[in-house]
Amino acid sequence: MVAHAYTVAFDGVDARMVEVQCALSPGLPAFSIVGLPDKAVSEAKERVRNALAALAISLPSKRITVNLSPANMPKEGSHFDLPIALALLAALDIIPSDKVADMVAMGEVSLDGKLTRVTGALPAAMAAASEDRGLICPTGSGAEAAWVEACHVISAGTLLEIVQHFTGQNVLSPSRPGEIPSDGSTKDLRDVKGQERAKRALEIAAAGRHHLMMVGPPGSGKSMLAERIPGILPPLSPLEALETSMIHSIAGLLTEGGISRHRPFRDPHHTASMAAIVGGGKKAGPGEISLAHNGVLFLDELPEFQRPVLETLRQPIETGEVMVSRANAHVKYPCRFMLVAAANPCKCGMLGDASQACARAPACGDDYLDRISGPLTDRIDLRIDVPPVSISDLDLPSTGDSSATVAQRVATARDLQTARFGSDAQVRTNADLSGHALEEVANASREGRDMLTRAAERFRLSARSYHRILRVARTIADLEGSSDIHKHHVAEALSYRLPASKQV
C-alpha cells in the first residue's frame, strides 16, 4: 500500500506542491527518504521514529520508503517532518489516508511528539488554497496561515492531537487569523526642532514613495527624521500586507503569529554584505531590500557602504524586483521599497564649518560623496541639505505639524493616486509611473512644462531626471489636491533635485 500526503517546497516566496509517498514493503527493516532531501529532511526519519514511539506506536518489521515527488526538486527544511509522519501513519492504517490526502501539512516534529513552529506558513496556505486543499500546521503557525480565507487551516500542538483529529476523537477547531498590534512607539515629527524644509521633503517622499537623500553634518537630525517616516506612511492595504508578510514569513520574522498592517522599516548597518542587502546565502533567502518591500529602506552613512553593494541597488530601484542568482538557486523576490539615505558632507563631517573643517576642504567633500555613483544618485528623487540646528533653537517650542496631521495629508494624496491608477497592481504610487503613463496623468500647465524644459536644457538633465522631477511635481500637486501641475509645483520639485548653487 502506498499512502499519500502533501506539503510544499519553497522557491523564493512561491510554495510549490510536493507529494509525500510512503510505501511499506517486505524486506529487511529500514527507513529511507528519497527525492533530493537535504540534511534536515533526511534526519526527519529519526525524529518521526521517536515521536511515534512516544505515542506507543511501533514501526513494523518492513522496509519503509518515503518518496518526495517531484524527485528532481530540492527539498529543504524541517517542515517535512509532519507530512512524512502523516503519510507513515496513513500507510499503517492508523489515520484515514483519504483525509490526509485532502490536506497540505507542514511542521517540525520533536522527539516527544510536539510540533514546532516553522517558517513559510502563509505562502503554504496560499498554495494549499490554489489546490483546493486545507492546511494543517503547528499552533504557532496557525494564526499566520489563517489570513488566507480560502484555505481551511487546522493547527495543533502535538502529533497526538492530529491523530485524534483525523480519527474523530477530538476534532480541532479552525485557526483564526491574528494581527500584530501596534506597540504605540511611533515617533512624532514634532520631536524634531527646526528642519522645516526636511520635514516637507519627508512628506512629499511619503506621499509618492519617492527616494530621498539627506546630506548634513553629524548631529543635524538625519537619522531622527528618517525614524519618523513610518509614522506618516499610510497602513498597508490588504494586498500589500499579504505581499510583505509572505516575504517575512519565509524569513521567519512573523514571530507574533500574525501579519502586520504597519509598513516595514529596515535600517541595515553600513558593514552589511551584498547577500544581506540584496539576498542570497545557501538558500538564496530574501535580503534587506525585499524585507523592506512596501516599506522603507534606510541606509545611514550611505558612502560607507561597499561600492558593489550600492551598485546592485540600481536595477531593483527601477524594476521593483530582484533576481537572486546563485549556483544552486535562482529566486525572484519583490522589492518595491522607498529608499531613504543619509550621508555626511565629507569624511570628517564638518565641511560647512570653516573653523572645524579639515585641511583638505572642500576637495574632501567631493571625494567623499563621489563614492556614490552618478547612476545611483540619478535614481534618487529628492536631495536635501540638513544643516545643523543651533543650541538656542533647541530651547524653543516645537514647531510644525505632528506626524498624525502629516499622515492625514499623505493618506489623502495616496487615495488620489489609488483612484487615478485603479486596480493596476504595477502602478500604485506616482513613483511607479513609467514615461508613457506619466505623460497621461501629468497634466502640466504650459508655464510648468516650459520651466521644466528650460531647466532640463540648461542643466543637461537626463531623461530619467526629467521624468523623476515630473513625478515629484505630480505628488506635490496631489498634496494640494490639484488636478493639474502648475509652475510652482515644478519649481518646488526642481529645488529638491538641483544643488542650491544651481537654483535660479
Side-chain angles (χ1 to χ4, degrees):
M1 173 185 176
V2 178
H4 303 267
Y6 292 90
T7 186
V8 294
F10 295 106
D11 181 17
V13 295
D14 297 324
R16 303 187 183 278
M17 200 61 62
V18 174
E19 182 181 4
V20 181
Q21 307 163 355
C22 181
L24 305 180
S25 57
L28 293 175
F31 193 159
S32 58
I33 300 175
V34 297
L36 282 184
D38 72 344
K39 187 66 173 176
V41 180
S42 297
E43 292 173 346
K45 59 186 178 183
E46 301 301 333
R47 292 190 291 271
V48 170
R49 188 197 307 273
N50 283 273
L52 295 182
L55 300 181
I57 299 174
S58 59
L59 298 182
S61 298
K62 293 184 178 182
R63 183 174 185 84
I64 303 172
T65 304
V66 174
N67 178 44
L68 307 176
S69 177
N72 62 347
M73 180 191 300
K75 319 300 188 305
E76 301 176 342
S78 61
H79 68 274
F80 284 88
D81 290 5
L82 183 56
I84 290 174
L86 295 181
L88 180 54
L89 288 169
L92 295 173
D93 289 327
I94 295 176
I95 58 178
S97 58
D98 56 338
K99 291 184 178 180
V100 173
D102 287 339
M103 304 290 288
V104 173
M106 64 181 308
E108 180 181 331
V109 179
S110 301
L111 298 182
D112 58 357
K114 293 181 179 179
L115 301 182
T116 304
R117 179 183 180 274
V118 291
T119 61
L122 188 60
M126 296 190 67
S130 67
E131 295 285 331
D132 198 22
R133 301 179 189 274
L135 177 72
I136 189 160
C137 60
T139 301
S141 304
E144 169 189 338
W147 276 100
V148 183
E149 296 180 355
C151 181
H152 181 70
V153 179
I154 297 295
S155 59
T158 64
L159 187 58
L160 177 60
E161 292 179 9
I162 296 180
V163 173
Q164 293 175 338
H165 172 77
F166 280 122
T167 57
Q169 301 176 49
N170 184 20
V171 178
L172 298 172
S173 301
S175 298
R176 308 183 73 175
E179 184 169 355
I180 303 175
S182 174
D183 57 7
S185 61
T186 303
K187 300 175 181 178
D188 200 292
L189 272 177
R190 288 183 63 86
D191 298 336
V192 182
K193 301 292 183 67
Q195 306 296 8
E196 299 305 321
R197 177 173 169 80
K199 293 178 184 178
R200 171 64 174 172
L202 256 61
E203 180 178 343
I204 296 171
R209 197 185 66 79
H210 299 291
H211 306 303
L212 169 68
M213 181 173 178
M214 298 178 285
V215 179
S220 59
K222 302 184 296 295
S223 299
M224 191 176 184
L225 286 162
E227 290 170 353
R228 280 148 181 79
I229 294 178
I232 64 175
L233 289 172
L236 293 168
S237 68
L239 176 61
E240 291 174 332
L242 195 59
E243 291 177 350
T244 305
S245 297
M246 285 179 63
I247 302 173
H248 289 190
S249 178
I250 293 294
L253 298 181
L254 298 184
T255 57
E256 300 293 332
I259 67 176
S260 175
R261 296 291 297 274
H262 302 286
R263 295 186 181 272
F265 181 85
R266 307 293 299 184
D267 54 345
H269 194 260
H270 62 260
T271 57
S273 65
M274 186 180 298
I277 298 295
V278 180
K282 182 179 179 181
K283 298 182 180 180
E288 292 290 339
I289 62 175
S290 296
L291 296 176
H293 181 57
N294 290 322
V296 178
L297 177 67
F298 176 46
L299 300 184
D300 199 5
E301 307 295 347
L302 185 67
E304 298 295 337
F305 281 81
Q306 301 176 38
R307 181 69 175 264
V309 173
L310 293 181
E311 294 307 299
T312 57
L313 297 178
R314 287 157 54 176
Q315 182 179 357
I317 286 176
E318 291 290 333
T319 63
E321 59 185 20
V322 59
M323 173 66 76
V324 181
S325 299
R326 297 295 181 265
N328 61 341
H330 299 273
V331 182
K332 181 181 291 186
Y333 291 105
C335 57
R336 187 184 285 114
F337 57 89
M338 172 181 160
L339 175 64
V340 178
N344 292 326
C346 62
K347 194 168 185 64
C348 69
M350 299 300 174
L351 183 64
D353 190 342
S355 62
Q356 301 185 62
C358 65
R360 295 190 62 247
C364 63
D366 294 335
D367 293 343
Y368 187 67
L369 293 180
D370 279 347
R371 297 182 184 181
I372 310 170
S373 69
L376 178 58
T377 304
D378 199 40
R379 288 167 166 82
I380 298 177
D381 303 320
L382 306 170
R383 309 169 200 166
I384 58 171
D385 293 327
V386 184
V389 179
S390 64
I391 301 300
S392 59
D393 289 341
L394 295 178
D395 295 330
L396 297 176
S398 299
T399 59
D401 295 327
S402 65
S403 290
T405 302
V406 175
Q408 290 179 355
R409 294 197 295 264
V410 170
T412 300
R414 287 279 185 113
D415 290 342
L416 288 174
Q417 295 167 52
T418 301
R420 182 185 300 132
F421 306 137
S423 59
D424 189 350
Q426 299 301 317
V427 181
R428 300 177 183 174
T429 61
N430 290 332
D432 301 322
L433 289 169
S434 63
H436 176 69
L438 178 61
E439 291 298 329
E440 291 183 349
V441 304
N443 298 329
S445 65
R446 180 181 297 275
E447 294 80 4
R449 183 77 69 172
D450 290 344
M451 171 180 279
L452 182 54
T453 301
R454 290 196 303 270
E457 293 175 351
R458 178 175 180 181
F459 303 114
R460 298 184 179 180
L461 300 178
S462 66
R464 179 187 292 117
S465 295
Y466 178 89
H467 285 137
R468 288 189 176 274
I469 293 171
L470 198 55
R471 291 171 190 162
V472 173
R474 177 67 269 172
T475 299
I476 295 172
D478 288 341
L479 285 169
E480 287 189 4
S482 173
S483 59
D484 297 328
I485 298 176
H486 297 291
K487 183 177 180 180
H488 66 280
H489 299 144
V490 175
E492 184 176 4
L494 282 169
S495 72
Y496 295 117
R497 188 77 184 184
L498 304 176
S501 58
K502 293 184 178 181
Q503 295 175 24
V504 180

